[in-house]
Amino acid sequence: MENSTEAQKPQNTKKNKKKGATLDTFYGAKIQNTEQIEDNIKENAPKPSKGNGNSPQTYEEFESEMTKKMEAFWEEKLEIMQKKFTHLQNRYDETEKENQALKARIRQLEDNDRVKEQELIKQSQNTKKLEENIKYLTDKVIDLENRGRRDNLRIIGLPEKPEINTKLDMVIQDIIKENCPEILEQGGNTATERAHRTPSTLNPQKTTPRNVIAKFQSYQTKEKILQEARKRQFRYKGMPIRVTQDLASSTLNDRKAWNMIFRKARELGLQPRISYPAKLTIYFQGKVWAFNKIEDFQLFAKKRPELCGKFDTENQRARNT
């Protein structure tokens, strides 16, 4: 009776236990639940026969053998997991080293960027100084060029003829006799050191005659001729010409920028004048006003009701075009 009850225990245990669900191991490997393994062990265990007194010992041996197999199975799985864990640890260490190297590289780049930014600031400061020096030197050269032309007069509108070009000195003396003979009567030195056309070569596509530059031996005589030219229209054999101070090309361009405002100011009776190097002066409300820049004059005109809207150079240029 004892043997029969012991042989029935594994069968009752199997009925009372449920099969276990599968477990997901590391990296997705699947193994059976321990309860299911135990059920398989008991199911595959040799069933003891009645009257066999060695059957309990045979079951224990079988259970011991299966336990060893389970231990070997788990040891194998544990070894695999340890290898994978070691591999991941190595990958983590490598990633950490790369991360540290990247951080060091970023710090180095940031330091280089700061250095370059400082160098850029220094270069900007040096560039600003160089621009200031260039402007100063340019203004200095223009001033020296203008001072070197103090004894010169520029004659505009003199016809481009061979008989005139070959005898410019005599033509200039004829202009003085025709327009300001009092200078000759006072015994002024009207002699010229040289006279020439500018530019040196004639452009056949240009219809207007080239200007004539005359350098006088006496600065006082040149100033007297210039003062007379400002008072009235000069002529050469009845043809109108214009006599002005000879200046550097950049200064002449600065003066030309005042032309539209100058003509309008003359129409309004403001007595405009262009003084050296390119300064506009007007007589307004009993005072003399001087302006170095066109923007300064336009701001001045906008604040005066008598002048507001009469010196809009942009609209005037639009009408002319």
Side-chain angles (χ1 to χ4, degrees):
M1 293 295 291
E2 292 178 359
N3 293 336
S4 62
T5 54
E6 290 180 359
Q8 291 177 358
K9 287 181 180 179
Q11 294 178 359
N12 294 334
T13 305
K14 181 179 177 181
K15 293 180 180 178
N16 295 330
K17 292 183 179 180
K18 296 181 180 179
K19 291 185 178 181
T22 59
L23 297 176
D24 292 341
T25 60
F26 198 76
Y27 280 100
K30 296 182 179 179
I31 62 173
Q32 293 176 329
N33 195 326
T34 305
E35 295 179 355
Q36 186 176 354
I37 294 173
E38 292 177 355
D39 291 342
N40 293 334
I41 292 171
K42 294 177 180 179
E43 183 178 3
N44 296 326
K47 298 179 180 179
S49 59
K50 295 181 179 180
N52 187 1
N54 296 327
S55 58
Q57 185 178 1
T58 303
Y59 178 79
E60 291 176 358
E61 290 176 356
F62 177 77
E63 187 175 12
S64 176
E65 182 181 354
M66 294 305 297
T67 302
K68 291 179 180 180
K69 288 183 179 181
M70 289 180 61
E71 290 177 353
F73 172 80
W74 284 111
E75 288 177 359
E76 181 182 358
K77 294 298 182 182
L78 180 61
E79 184 179 357
I80 294 173
M81 292 177 64
Q82 287 177 347
K83 289 180 179 180
K84 291 181 178 180
F85 177 78
T86 304
H87 176 71
L88 283 178
Q89 185 66 36
N90 295 335
R91 289 290 303 275
Y92 174 79
D93 294 340
E94 292 175 1
T95 305
E96 186 66 21
K97 290 180 181 179
E98 293 177 358
N99 189 26
Q100 294 298 329
L102 288 174
K103 287 182 179 179
R105 181 60 177 166
I106 291 172
R107 285 194 295 268
Q108 183 180 1
L109 291 174
E110 290 176 349
D111 294 339
N112 293 340
D113 187 61
R114 290 193 203 96
V115 173
K116 290 181 179 179
E117 186 176 357
Q118 293 175 357
E119 291 178 355
L120 183 62
I121 293 173
K122 290 181 181 179
Q123 289 179 359
S124 299
Q125 294 174 351
N126 293 335
T127 302
K128 186 177 180 180
K129 290 181 181 178
L130 288 174
E131 290 176 351
E132 292 175 354
N133 291 337
I134 290 172
K135 185 179 184 305
Y136 170 77
L137 293 174
T138 302
D139 295 341
K140 191 71 173 176
V141 170
I142 294 173
D143 182 65
L144 290 173
E145 185 178 356
N146 287 330
R147 293 181 184 277
R149 297 170 181 259
R150 291 176 72 243
D151 299 334
N152 297 356
L153 284 178
R154 183 180 290 263
I155 303 172
I156 304 170
L158 197 63
E160 189 87 35
K161 295 180 180 179
E163 60 271 18
I164 294 178
N165 293 341
T166 55
K167 300 177 181 180
L168 286 175
D169 293 336
M170 296 177 61
V171 171
I172 291 170
Q173 297 301 320
D174 293 340
I175 292 173
I176 296 173
K177 290 179 183 178
E178 183 176 351
N179 295 277
C180 46
E182 62 275 9
I183 296 177
L184 296 174
E185 294 174 0
Q186 294 173 1
N189 182 11
T190 59
T192 56
E193 290 186 4
R194 61 180 178 273
H196 64 277
R197 293 274 187 179
T198 181
S200 57
T201 57
L202 177 63
N203 185 1
Q205 296 180 351
K206 194 173 182 179
T207 57
T208 58
R210 292 173 294 168
N211 296 344
V212 174
I213 306 298
K215 181 178 177 59
F216 287 82
Q217 294 180 355
S218 172
Y219 171 76
Q220 288 78 11
T221 301
K222 185 235 45 172
E223 281 296 312
K224 290 179 180 179
I225 296 171
L226 186 60
Q227 288 176 4
E228 294 297 325
R230 288 170 178 167
K231 294 178 182 177
R232 58 182 180 273
Q233 177 73 59
F234 270 34
R235 295 181 178 275
Y236 173 68
K237 293 182 180 181
M239 294 181 296
I241 59 174
R242 189 156 61 94
V243 178
T244 63
Q245 174 68 48
D246 181 39
L247 297 168
S249 58
S250 59
T251 305
L252 290 174
N253 291 332
D254 292 340
R255 288 192 168 201
K256 286 180 181 178
W258 289 105
N259 283 349
M260 298 181 69
I261 294 176
F262 186 90
R263 289 195 292 268
K264 189 64 179 179
R266 178 179 287 177
E267 293 175 3
L268 297 175
L270 300 178
Q271 303 176 17
R273 288 190 60 184
I274 302 294
S275 57
Y276 181 83
K279 183 189 297 183
L280 175 70
T281 59
I282 61 172
Y283 186 78
F284 179 70
Q285 294 180 349
K287 295 181 181 180
V288 177
W289 304 83
F291 307 94
N292 292 317
K293 297 180 180 180
I294 296 177
E295 293 79 6
D296 297 338
F297 176 81
Q298 290 176 339
L299 184 62
F300 171 84
K302 287 180 180 179
K303 295 180 179 179
R304 272 70 183 177
E306 301 89 339
L307 306 177
C308 184
K310 297 180 180 179
F311 291 92
D312 194 348
T313 56
E314 293 182 359
N315 292 336
Q316 292 177 8
R317 288 192 186 118
R319 292 193 206 101
N320 294 334
T321 55

